[in-house]
Amino acid sequence: MAILDEQHCEADVPGTAIRHPSAPQNGKTRKPDFSRVVRIAALSILLGGLSLSASAAEPHRAKPKHKPTGQVGQASWYDYKDGSKTASGQKISAKALTAAHRTMPFGSKLRVTNIRTGKSVIVVVNDRGPFHGKRIIDVNRRAAQKLGLIQIGVAQVRVERVVQVAEASD
């Protein structure tokens, strides 16, 4: 056997090879134990560790238990004088939490959440709009105050329809 220093290994020395510790020392080769190979493969398949697809290298990401619902887009706010009428025929009230939406039926209750701040408010649709760019909802001044929209004017929001469960009668 050749003498090795720190810069060499057995593979660098001609006529030598690196041997696995479990390899037979007499130079004979071992036949593979196919039953062991089959058991390992079956276990790998059961555990999901064996995959022939390219996605196997990607880490597993758990799916969320629920998908966020509703629309995501920009919201703005409006301020009309008390007593003016909306598209639904309702009189505007500064005390109410109302909104204008292009498609939701009048009377629908919507939860509007400012994505940046997490603040949310429930509004009632009583008007149509907005008809400006990519905005998805206009809220009145009172709702805008609760959402933190007064100073910034426009914000990214999530709009979700609030489903009410009918009260059971006795």
Side-chain angles (χ1 to χ4, degrees), residues 94-136:
K95 295 177 184 177
L97 294 168
T98 60
H101 194 278
R102 290 182 193 156
T103 58
M104 287 288 182
F106 293 131
S108 297
K109 291 189 177 185
L110 307 176
R111 179 183 313 277
V112 182
T113 304
N114 184 333
I115 293 175
R116 185 177 60 82
T117 64
K119 293 179 181 179
S120 69
V121 65
I122 295 177
V123 296
V124 177
V125 176
N126 70 347
D127 205 358
R128 290 290 174 231
F131 301 108
H132 184 278
K134 295 182 180 181
R135 295 184 191 163
I136 60 171

Side-chain angles (χ1 to χ4, degrees), residues 81-107:
K81 292 182 180 179
D82 276 351
S84 300
K85 287 194 175 184
T86 64
S88 67
Q90 262 186 342
K91 288 185 177 181
I92 293 176
S93 168
K95 295 177 184 177
L97 294 168
T98 60
H101 194 278
R102 290 182 193 156
T103 58
M104 287 288 182
F106 293 131

Side-chain angles (χ1 to χ4, degrees), residues 20 28 40 45-46 48 65 69-72 92 95 103 117 132 154 164 169:
H20 191 274
K28 294 182 181 178
I40 291 172
I45 290 170
L46 287 174
K65 296 200 185 271
T69 57
Q71 296 176 299
V72 174
I92 293 176
K95 295 177 184 177
T103 58
T117 64
H132 184 278
V154 177
Q164 292 180 315
S169 57

